[in-house]
Amino acid sequence: MPDAAPVKTRPTAPEKTTLAEAPALDSAIADLGTGLRAWVHVTLAQRAKLLERLHATVSAVAEEWADTAATSKGLEPGHPLRGEEWLSGPYATLVAIDAYRGSLEKLAKGESPLAGIPTEPAPGDRRRAHVFPQNPIDNMLLSGYTGEIWFTPGTTDAAARRDAGLAQLHPTTPGGVGLVLGAGNVTSIPVLDVLYELLANNRVAILKVNPTQDVLVPVYERALAPLVEPGFLRIVRGGGDVGAYLTTHKGVDHVHITGAAPTFDAIVWGTGAPAARRKRENRPQLKKPITAELGGVSPIIVVPGVWSDADLRFHAEHVATMRLQNSGHNCIAGQVVLLSAEWPQRDAFLAALRTAYDAAPARPVWYPRSDEKLAAAASGYPSADWCGDGTRALIEIEPGEDPAALETTEYFAPVLGVVSLPGNGQEFLDNAVAHANDHLVGTLGANVLIDPVTETALGAGFERAIAELRYGSIAINTWTAFVFLTPTLAWGGFPGATLQHVESGIGIVHNALLLDHVERSIARGPFRPLPRSLSALTGKGRMSVLPKPPWFVTSRTGASVSEGFTRFRMDGDWARLVGTLVQAFRA
């Protein structure tokens, strides 16, 4: 390794403030300046070893992590949905750590992280890399699921392979100190954002935990001890005043936030009339770079075809899961179902959807101010059906009714809408793509459900329509949460957002192959579960050995299977995995 470049750090003298926490925050940032000087001397091989240690410490607290998170959201022991917190917390973190470690090991040997990964053309002068599955374990646990990274138009294979590695191509060049303003809804998000700061950008980080996750701070401190001890990470609590202090601190070089667009605007432009003027004149009050993931209104495009009754039930449960997982408190929760008004099975699908939406297990609506969002939906759409325990709105937009509020408000609560569009086949799909692009706020994730016969019939027209969807993640016969959970895929809004028009955010995270030139991620899943997926053996669709994905809110064994999958990622115990797979077949 060459000698490290000199690290230039700005003075971190105390800010002029009356904030009680200021001295501790100043001290934390000073520690990170020292940690940054140490980080650039850590070789790639040593960084891979550090991640091995991190895998062990995360594994050691995984059960406490999942239990604490579930209980904090009102899911008491024995609740059928507690498995969500295993998958979206320690599972997501462990698979990301392992994927980053693999990339570092390749780079340490002088290889590209894309070495051995096939690429091929994609529509619109693009290339795509088939980045999932990476190994037989992926194939087994997530049978029938695949993932692709699509590069920006004009990117060549040579450029994609040459530039894979990002900051780890120059590991002795410091990236400064990054501030991570952690998300409050999903417990792995703050950890994954810290990892991306460190590995994609060579930035040590100060993580301000969202107050909704304060209960997890002791767990984070032990899970991330290999980063905290050498000064690569500091974890702090606090509200908006602490966040505001940190964003303007002279010792912070970069800000990353997972949250909502109004919070982003308040950081970048300020509040009130002066902020509006600054935004209009493009004079941001924030004087340092910022990246963000900000959510949006996600479409679920249901392409008409000839579906069996079992298909209708399965995908009705699929759509209910997209909305109700984590009680709808997800930036990628499906919110607007786009249906063909001419689909002969439209009414049958809606009936199955009402049944699934109503029958999903009861759970608290726990995220702050959700009651206000539900009240807004009730006021805007008095004809809404209130399902389940009365906290789930199902809004079917009737002819002449205005869908604007539904399509431009990220409710972040159990509110699901249905909008009908004209056409069948390609005509409907093109209408739905245009509608999603032009009417739904945000560009984070879109979902498409299509049976294999119809997809085959549309052929190149289907892939062209997918290319025209302006979303950073697209899930075909799966949910965009699969993209979030798959570390070799990238997560973020569609490229092109600006400070003034931030859409679903700026930049990407996850992306464990450390790829440059990323435009979007595409996940594909099986239209039918086992045993109906056996039709794939005759050339129709994708084969899957999963009777029902464990993340479905209707999975009878989802809690035990999610825990079992996580424990296998922790220790690789094949004997115990057999029992987990038996549970999966009982879903």
Side-chain angles (χ1 to χ4, degrees), residues 337-406:
V337 181
L338 298 178
L339 282 183
S340 167
E342 300 167 27
W343 186 24
Q345 293 180 286
R346 176 183 178 279
D347 291 343
F349 178 75
L350 285 176
L353 178 57
R354 287 190 187 93
T355 298
Y357 199 62
D358 188 66
R363 65 180 307 161
V365 179
W366 63 271
Y367 202 78
R369 302 182 65 181
S370 293
D371 55 342
E372 298 175 18
K373 298 295 184 70
L374 292 171
S379 174
Y381 298 99
S383 64
D385 291 333
W386 290 88
C387 303
D389 54 0
T391 63
R392 306 169 190 168
L394 181 59
I395 302 167
E396 184 181 349
I397 299 297
E398 302 292 345
E401 196 171 13
D402 186 3
L406 179 68

Side-chain angles (χ1 to χ4, degrees), residues 145-159:
Y145 291 83
T146 59
E148 310 155 18
I149 291 284
W150 286 26
F151 297 102
T152 52
T155 302
T156 64
D157 266 1

Side-chain angles (χ1 to χ4, degrees), residues 49-124:
K49 286 291 186 183
L50 179 65
L51 292 183
E52 191 174 336
R53 282 188 59 211
L54 200 60
H55 185 281
T57 52
V58 169
S59 297
V61 302
E63 183 172 350
E64 181 184 359
W65 181 339
D67 287 346
T68 301
T71 301
S72 74
K73 297 179 180 182
L75 302 178
E76 298 299 333
H79 195 286
L81 298 179
R82 282 175 72 92
E84 291 179 359
E85 298 309 313
W86 281 93
L87 283 183
S88 63
Y91 179 93
T93 303
L94 288 166
V95 294
I97 289 169
D98 289 345
Y100 280 124
R101 187 175 64 189
S103 293
L104 290 174
E105 289 171 345
K106 282 186 175 181
L107 288 164
K109 294 187 292 186
E111 297 179 359
S112 168
L114 268 178
I117 294 176
T119 61
E120 66 178 7

Side-chain angles (χ1 to χ4, degrees), residues 218-244:
V219 176
Y220 288 151
E221 289 173 339
R222 281 179 280 130
L224 303 176
L227 302 181
V228 174
E229 291 164 359
F232 305 150
L233 171 66
R234 287 292 180 264
I235 303 172
V236 299
R237 294 178 171 92
D241 54 348
V242 171

Side-chain angles (χ1 to χ4, degrees), residues 1-9 33 35-44 47 165-177 196-204 253:
M1 298 286 294
D3 290 338
V7 180
K8 296 180 180 179
T9 57
L36 181 61
R37 289 191 288 273
W39 174 249
V40 295
H41 290 282
V42 181
T43 67
L44 291 172
R47 293 178 187 190
L166 298 179
Q168 299 310 304
L169 295 174
H170 308 284
T172 61
T173 301
V177 175
Y196 202 68
E197 285 291 278
L198 194 63
L199 298 172
N201 302 295
N202 269 344
R203 279 195 286 265
V204 296
D253 300 286

Side-chain angles (χ1 to χ4, degrees), residues 484-503:
F484 175 90
L485 285 173
T486 303
T488 50
L489 294 170
W491 185 250
F494 195 73
T498 65
L499 295 181
Q500 290 178 302
H501 303 285
V502 73
E503 298 283 350

